[in-house]
Amino acid sequence: MSQQTAYRTHHATDVTEGLVGEHVTLAGWVDRRRDHGGVAFIDLRDNTGLVQVVINDEEMAHPLRSEYVIEVDGKVRLRPEGNENDHLATGKVEVVAEKIRVLAKSDALPFQVSTALENESENKLPGEDVRLKYRYLDLRRPAMQRNIKLRSDMMRAARTELDKLGFTEVETPTMIKSTPEGARDFVVPARLVPGSWYALPQSPQLLKQLLMVAGVERYYQFARCYRDEDFRADRQPEFTQLDMEMSFVDQEDVIAMAEQVIKAIWKADGYDIETPIRRIPWQEAMDKYGSDKPDLRFGNELIELTDYFKNTPFRVFQAPYVGAVLFKGGASTPRRQFDAWQDWAKQRGAKGLAYVVFGENGELKGPVAKNLSDEERNGLKEAVGAEDGDAVFFAAGARESSQLLLGAVRVELANRAGLLDPKKFAFCWVVDFPLFKRTDDPDDDDVAVGHSKWTSMHHPFTMPSKDWIDTFDEDPEHAMSDSYDIVCNGNEMGGGSVRIHRDDIQDRVLNVLGITPQEAQDKFGFLLEAFKYGAPPHAGIALGWDRTVALLAGADSIRDVIAFPKAGGGRDPLTGAPAPISDEQRAETGVDYDPEEDED
């Protein structure tokens, strides 16, 4: 397809040796300008890249400044010998300008976006608030252009694969009824029905299940989701999921389908992912890696020492769980750095981080060492698989919180040792999740979906595993679910489950969660009603699209792969949202509607 338009015959990177001697018209931004005694050189930038333009006429060159938008007519020639630039796709040629038209001028920019920046230190970038305030300039940078293009390529790859697999893309509404899904809803006043509200969907969960009842059988969409959550580093109040649901399938079918889609997505950026992807039961992931989203790019598994210390004189280790993680070569760490590790642990809510070091002569040192029995000291090196010159960190207390701390230590050690290669991808499925979790967990800020001491690990429509169908409500603490997460490089990339399609099982799950039949009717009676009319067995999965793109792009934050993300607290430095509204607007929305006044 021809790219010729009213302003150009070619894009910058189309200008190669094959066009030498030809006239071209280019359009783009002045990336930078260099003057060499009567001759000016400018790098012209468009969204494909750069090409060098030579201007022999000083008057023509004089008005041009960085980031001016220009149109250039000129002739392509080879660069003089020795002047080629191997770093540029167009580095063997240049365009000799015959005519230049300024299409738009530019004020001096608040920060540099020139491609030259890419070859220098990224530290020249301003803080993120400034980048987000001038996001339209930040997006001009080649790194950001690459991310936005990659996101588009990945979407196309997913759509193509899902089309091959017989899926139908269906859009579900953005304004729905508030239903419990584990976070707070954003709500929108309904002007035409004073006192009533729409909610923005936290996910299309109920709607996609209704599509299964409707006989769509294979549905997907790139769904916008909205959650009013407390701000954390990599959370956005609005985000995108690649949402997929299938009828007449079980967990194996969904996993096989998702692996094909993931393979196609990674292929879009030239990577070949090996399938089938390894599976790890949830309990094993916690025991070995201290995380339900384990990073498998490196080893160094957690070591359980609960039995080893079962008769310990050390009060701290008289706990339901004692575990350790090896710090290879850690004995040479200065004391102040071990003190810094204590602060690091306290920031994660722990009391501290116990440790010992194995000196070069085999001597055991560190604050914990003197509290151990001779027998414990003598056998410790072998128990943890250490050598002279290593150190070991310990955690003791409740099993899950101790493992989470050691899991974080394991990743931090790998990070400091430079083992987290963003171009290496280690996938796994985490399977065999509990069906419920406690609502009084201090480490969990999810909103309980009901009113009991149990809430859903995933959501209230997750099917109990086959072994637990008959007894899950008798022993909620140990009940397991038919759910699965796809994990990559220590990030939960997506998750899903087999859904409940039988109303008797759904009623029992809601009962465990403390949701009364009347409340269930009020909140999602439309789904329960639909299930009375022949609901097929169905299951699905959703990939967090922003996280998936960030992983493949090697971006540190999902904000770097979203065109217009929010900053901390859900603020938008670009537009100033959220912002107050006028008194007139407020009155129109009906948010202050009082039904009692209306009766008067």
Side-chain angles (χ1 to χ4, degrees), residues 414-573:
N415 187 32
R416 295 183 188 193
L419 299 178
L420 305 184
D421 181 354
K423 297 225 169 351
K424 182 179 169 189
F425 300 103
F427 290 90
C428 70
W429 288 101
V430 177
V431 295
D432 301 335
F433 277 88
L435 185 58
F436 304 108
K437 59 183 179 178
R438 300 187 72 88
T439 50
D440 57 5
D441 182 351
D443 300 322
D444 190 352
D445 62 355
D446 281 352
V447 177
V449 295
H451 312 287
S452 80
K453 66 178 179 184
W454 301 106
T455 189
S456 295
M457 189 82 163
H458 276 75
H459 54 64
F461 315 105
T462 302
M463 183 70 94
S465 67
K466 291 179 181 64
D467 296 343
W468 282 89
I469 286 279
D470 298 326
T471 55
F472 69 84
D473 39 359
E474 294 164 22
D475 185 8
E477 185 175 359
H478 299 107
M480 303 301 281
S481 68
D482 225 346
S483 53
Y484 33 86
D485 281 356
I486 182 71
V487 172
C488 179
N489 294 4
N491 292 278
E492 181 196 327
M493 209 169 89
S497 67
V498 175
R499 320 301 185 191
I500 298 168
H501 70 284
R502 282 172 39 192
D503 52 8
D504 58 323
I505 297 174
Q506 188 66 72
D507 289 346
R508 287 165 57 207
V509 167
L510 296 178
N511 189 43
V512 172
L513 298 173
I515 296 175
T516 65
Q518 186 55 52
E519 189 182 356
Q521 204 54 45
D522 292 344
K523 287 185 169 170
F524 37 80
F526 57 92
L527 181 74
L528 302 178
E529 166 96 359
F531 280 0
K532 293 175 183 167
Y533 300 110
H538 56 286
I541 188 168
L543 299 183
W545 196 247
D546 310 302
R547 163 70 47 232
T548 301
V549 178
L551 279 165
L552 195 42
D556 291 333
S557 163
I558 62 171
R559 293 190 290 282
D560 280 343
V561 298
I562 299 171
F564 297 104
K566 302 288 189 287
R571 294 173 305 107
D572 180 2

Side-chain angles (χ1 to χ4, degrees), residues 128-130 132-133 186 231 235-238 559 564-579:
E128 192 173 55
D129 257 26
V130 176
L132 292 179
K133 182 178 179 183
F186 283 105
F231 193 77
R235 269 186 182 167
Q236 288 285 301
E238 53 180 322
R559 293 190 290 282
F564 297 104
K566 302 288 189 287
R571 294 173 305 107
D572 180 2
L574 175 65
T575 65

Side-chain angles (χ1 to χ4, degrees), residues 184-203:
R184 291 174 190 85
D185 286 326
F186 283 105
V187 291
V188 180
R191 178 182 64 83
L192 297 175
V193 191
S196 292
W197 301 75
Y198 297 106
L200 303 184
Q202 294 180 35
S203 80

Side-chain angles (χ1 to χ4, degrees), residues 91-111:
K92 291 192 167 65
V93 294
E94 56 195 11
V95 176
V96 182
E98 294 170 1
K99 193 165 87 186
I100 293 182
R101 183 155 68 107
V102 174
L103 302 174
K105 294 182 177 180
S106 170
D107 288 349
L109 265 54
F111 57 91

